[in-house]
Amino acid sequence: MCGIVGYIGTKEAYPILISGLRRLEYRGYDSAGVAILKDGEITTHKCKGKVSSLEAMIAAQGGNPEGQVGIGHTRWATHGPPNDVNAHPHASDDGQMVMIHNGIIENYGSLRQELSKRGHVFKSDTDTEVLIHLIDDIRKNADVTIFEAVRIALNEVIGAYAIVVMDRNTPDQLIAAKKGSPLVVGIGKDKDYFIASDATPIVEHTKNVVYLDDEEIAIIDARDGFKLMNIKNQEKTPYVQELELKLEALEKGGFEHFMLKEIYEQPRSILDSMRGRLRADKGRVELGGIRDYIQRFVHAKRIIILGCGTSWHAGLVGEYLFEDLARIPVEVEYASEFRYRNPVIFEDDVVIAISQSGETADTLAAIELAKSKGATIIGICNVIGSSIPRATHAGSYTHAGPEIGVASTKAFTAQVTVLTLMALYVAREKGSITESRFHRLLIELDAIPGKVEKVLEKNDQIKFIADHYKSVPNALYLGRGYNFPVALEGALKLKEISYIHAEGYPAAEMKHGPIALIDEEMPVFFVAPRGGAYEKIVSNIQEVKARKGKIIAIVTEGEEQVRSMADHVIEIPDTDECLMPLLTVIPLQLLSYHVAVMRGCNVDQPRNLAKSVTVE
Ligand code: M6R
């Protein structure tokens, strides 16, 4: 949440900051700002709205500010509404220092009171402004360097932060620090340094990066280079890694929206998530990342899966997979609830934490809790080098490539793919699956990318259906067994990007309440491919039909029974029941996409949302 970008070096800062903010806008987009330092003067521009509004404002005010050091920010509001004043950067009383911040300073109320008593005047409602005033206060009263003032201040704050501070009295330096919110420093040629809340704005300038650890402070000096300290004033050795990220992966590549591009990338992202891990021809599955922990799985009495949002839905599919194939009891938990409810955790529990961004604050906190009780923590994350993979004992990346659209699509199918591989790997090691089923599933899984291509060919038909239902106020999504989580995911996709109220339910639960909602206006999306619960779901469809609900059903190719009852059917290729979510979710993603576009919604940046939720 919130995008941070900073630059210090030999080039003009403004174009670098603006292009960085555009790349980071998916992290938060309610206001934006930049501050540039030149000849000992800091010029700040900030406003409510998107980065494009900021650019237009700056252009109208006389064009690009000049200077070779600067910071920029795109905000997702926590403290104070989105407006020009609350936008970052925030300044000290005398305007000599400016700061951008991602995270939440939890004790900002008491700090603000204390600083007010000492004569500080606050312009905004933000916690960020309190922190820059605190740094300023320390700097002046203790007569210390900017680094030292930041260090002392960070020892006084409670909460999460990623910050960059720029000081007109130290024009050759930027100070960056983090705790709980990500921050990465890119090291370019010729003493060019880039700072950002993720690597996306850095990759076009350099591949060499240092991910800061919690409580580390980077002193980035245009003359003396990069030095890493921590808040205890100990020097740290920076670990420079090479980014694997490719620039093309951050572009729309001819698609109208990132979300559509990412939906269409799924044959490839599923394949990439299986590459080197699934060998159908050799009858083998292996996940190198968890090889050393496989016996923990085999002997686990329980698996706990943690996640939020779409990742939690993938976790539910994981529950079906692990129980069905590996015969291990599974509990799937919202990380946000788990972390606060004094859960019972045993040392022989295996905890699987799922997160696309690898930065979700609740998931990270839940991991720390489970780790403190001695459980083994396995990560399934997409962003390489992010905080969650670094907090886990081991794990497997999803290799879906960068997901920029706020609505998660390819991350979900990649997570389900990795969960399937994991469940198969464990089941094989444990001996809980027959040879024939194991081999059949490997062959089926291998064929999934091709079948996803086939589902994507239904796009025009799905667009036609979207046109029918684009104006409804409500929608129900029903599924059973492996497809119950898909119903939840379909409903989440519709509500988050088209703002239509939608609910997902296990189909059999409908008669315990939601059936009261059904009338001739209510579209009911049934996820009803052939499989164990097929006959049961056909009965549920009849129950809706009898109450004149509109039925849109996702069915297996050649299916006739549901077709005779439904208003619309979308056919998908057949596969094993446990792999069905990888196919059934695709039409629901496309449907939500088209409905949102037809309703004129901002598909890639839906209101009130941000891509990675780094605050509680
Ligand atoms: O990065 P994570 O997977 O941890 O994010 C979890 C949720 O915030 C995320 O899935 C969210 O629900 C998406 N907007 C869903 O499309």
Side-chain angles (χ1 to χ4, degrees):
M1 275 174 162
C2 299
I4 281 183
V5 61
Y7 172 75
I8 185 163
T10 53
K11 303 189 181 76
E12 279 305 301
Y14 179 71
I16 293 171
L17 298 180
I18 282 293
S19 98
L21 288 182
R22 275 194 236 109
R23 292 220 188 277
L24 284 172
E25 203 167 21
Y26 73 107
R27 296 183 74 98
Y29 32 81
D30 61 43
S31 49
V34 290
I36 312 268
L37 199 161
K38 183 176 165 65
D39 300 333
E41 288 303 321
I42 293 175
T43 318
T44 299
H45 300 272
K46 55 184 188 167
C47 63
K48 181 180 173 186
K50 306 246 175 202
V51 175
S52 55
S53 312
L54 176 72
E55 283 183 272
M57 187 186 86
I58 291 173
Q61 288 172 357
N64 296 2
E66 290 179 3
Q68 293 168 343
V69 51
I71 56 180
H73 190 264
T74 172
R75 179 172 185 244
W76 185 88
T78 56
H79 293 67
N83 60 31
D84 295 355
V85 177
N86 288 334
H88 299 211
H90 288 281
S92 56
D93 267 327
D94 57 10
Q96 304 227 345
M97 266 189 271
V98 287
M99 189 179 92
I100 48 177
H101 167 225
N102 183 8
I104 292 181
I105 307 300
E106 288 168 15
N107 58 337
Y108 88 106
S110 54
L111 290 171
R112 186 172 168 135
Q113 254 180 4
E114 186 57 35
L115 289 162
S116 297
K117 277 192 217 147
R118 296 221 286 269
H120 288 262
V121 177
F122 295 94
K123 299 189 184 79
S124 77
D125 312 312
T126 64
D127 51 339
T128 306
E129 194 185 6
V130 173
L131 182 51
I132 188 67
H133 279 252
L134 177 64
I135 295 169
D136 182 41
D137 197 74
I138 295 167
R139 168 107 196 235
K140 289 194 178 122
N141 291 321
D143 192 19
V144 290
T145 63
I146 177 69
F147 157 71
E148 191 58 7
V150 169
R151 191 186 75 74
I152 296 169
L154 293 180
N155 276 286
E156 287 186 32
V157 303
I158 300 169
Y161 55 79
I163 58 167
V164 188
V165 181
M166 185 167 78
D167 174 19
R168 59 173 262 190
N169 300 302
T170 322
D172 293 326
Q173 272 186 12
L174 287 177
I175 307 291
K178 83 140 230 157
K179 181 183 177 189
S181 291
L183 205 60
V184 52
V185 178
I187 301 170
K189 290 193 195 106
D190 311 323
K191 297 220 166 126
D192 271 335
Y193 296 95
F194 309 84
I195 307 164
S197 40
D198 66 49
T200 53
I202 295 181
V203 65
E204 64 194 272
H205 304 291
T206 176
K207 295 255 177 195
N208 298 323
V209 295
V210 175
Y211 287 91
L212 264 57
D213 277 328
D214 277 353
E215 301 194 334
E216 285 185 343
I217 308 176
I219 306 164
I220 303 158
D221 193 297
R223 283 169 309 169
D224 299 339
F226 174 74
K227 185 173 177 187
L228 198 58
M229 304 292 291
N230 67 11
I231 66 168
K232 295 190 183 120
N233 208 16
Q234 295 157 327
E235 187 159 357
K236 308 287 299 259
T237 309
Y239 168 57
V240 183
Q241 17 183 323
E242 195 172 330
L243 283 177
E244 284 175 22
L245 196 62
K246 293 208 171 60
L247 196 53
E248 313 83 80
L250 305 174
E251 312 283 353
K252 284 193 198 139
F255 285 88
E256 205 183 328
H257 296 100
F258 279 110
M259 182 179 175
L260 190 61
K261 175 187 174 224
E262 287 157 8
I263 292 173
Y264 271 86
E265 278 175 344
Q266 289 176 107
R268 157 62 61 156
S269 52
I270 293 173
L271 194 65
D272 286 347
S273 301
M274 300 196 296
R275 197 182 303 285
R277 296 166 169 177
L278 170 71
R279 291 297 305 266
D281 54 340
K282 296 216 156 80
R284 216 175 59 212
V285 167
E286 197 173 2
L287 289 159
I290 61 162
R291 192 185 299 126
D292 293 346
Y293 286 81
I294 193 68
Q295 290 309 316
R296 303 262 178 111
F297 272 101
V298 167
H299 299 292
K301 293 203 182 54
R302 176 173 70 157
I303 292 174
I304 300 172
I305 303 184
L306 301 172
C308 300
T310 290
S311 296
W312 184 78
H313 295 158
L316 285 180
V317 180
E319 176 179 23
Y320 286 86
L321 286 164
F322 272 101
E323 295 203 340
D324 184 7
L325 306 178
R327 307 303 297 145
I328 304 172
V330 179
E331 285 169 28
V332 188
E333 302 269 3
Y334 285 116
S336 53
E337 286 298 312
F338 182 82
R339 63 180 289 198
Y340 283 121
R341 69 164 170 71
N342 194 14
V344 178
I345 305 165
F346 301 108
E347 286 189 359
D348 55 6
D349 283 339
V350 173
V351 172
I352 303 177
I354 307 177
S355 174
Q356 186 286 129
S357 62
E359 299 294 350
T360 299
D362 283 322
T363 310
L364 251 177
I367 288 171
E368 294 304 342
L369 174 67
K371 209 154 71 170
S372 72
K373 308 275 183 197
T376 301
I377 320 289
I378 303 295
I380 298 182
C381 294
N382 194 39
V383 178
I384 294 172
S386 54
S387 302
I388 291 177
R390 290 191 285 153
T392 52
H393 293 112
S396 301
Y397 282 110
T398 45
H399 300 306
E403 192 180 63
I404 310 285
V406 166
S408 208
T409 53
K410 64 175 179 170
F412 175 80
T413 46
Q415 288 164 348
V416 172
T417 302
V418 171
L419 282 162
T420 310
L421 293 169
M422 229 177 236
L424 282 166
Y425 184 22
V426 174
R428 186 72 186 290
E429 292 293 319
K430 208 179 157 198
S432 57
I433 188 168
T434 62
E435 279 294 297
S436 62
R437 186 162 190 218
F438 180 76
H439 287 283
R440 208 173 53 243
L441 284 176
L442 296 201
I443 290 164
E444 280 298 329
L445 191 53
D446 203 36
I448 286 290
K451 293 185 180 182
V452 172
E453 303 254 18
K454 290 255 174 298
V455 183
L456 291 169
E457 286 168 14
K458 306 277 170 177
N459 182 46
D460 288 347
Q461 187 208 353
I462 294 167
K463 193 169 174 184
F464 174 80
I465 297 172
D467 196 38
H468 259 72
Y469 297 102
K470 62 176 186 283
S471 304
V472 298
N474 299 293
L476 260 184
Y477 285 72
L478 302 176
R480 297 192 79 151
Y482 276 101
N483 288 300
F484 158 54
V486 174
L488 295 179
E489 177 60 7
L492 175 62
K493 286 291 86 87
L494 190 71
K495 56 190 154 194
E496 71 178 327
I497 58 168
S498 70
Y499 320 140
I500 293 174
H501 172 239
E503 295 291 339
Y505 260 91
E509 274 295 298
M510 182 183 61
K511 21 185 190 319
H512 300 287
I515 199 162
L517 294 168
I518 292 169
D519 60 17
E520 55 278 11
E521 305 295 322
M522 176 66 93
V524 184
F525 294 89
F526 275 98
V527 191
R530 269 195 289 271
Y534 174 72
E535 292 302 335
K536 305 277 177 210
I537 208 162
V538 169
S539 306
N540 300 139
I541 293 175
Q542 265 155 350
E543 288 155 12
V544 172
K545 181 84 180 159
R547 287 156 184 86
K548 299 196 167 56
K550 296 276 177 293
I551 295 160
I552 308 97
I554 296 168
V555 299
T556 317
E557 269 165 5
E559 186 328 301
E560 288 304 331
Q561 207 177 345
V562 174
R563 181 179 289 277
S564 63
M565 294 185 276
D567 296 272
H568 304 276
V569 293
I570 303 163
E571 288 194 338
I572 57 163
D574 202 3
T575 187
D576 191 280
E577 194 176 354
C578 73
L579 305 179
M580 267 299 173
L582 293 166
L583 303 182
T584 50
V585 76
I586 312 281
L588 299 182
Q589 295 170 344
L590 282 169
L591 188 108
S592 304
Y593 170 77
H594 289 302
V595 169
V597 171
M598 288 169 191
R599 287 166 70 92
C601 299
N602 188 335
V603 172
D604 284 335
Q605 295 174 351
R607 70 184 179 204
N608 304 338
L609 289 173
K611 185 67 184 164
S612 62
V613 184
T614 53
V615 295
E616 287 190 42

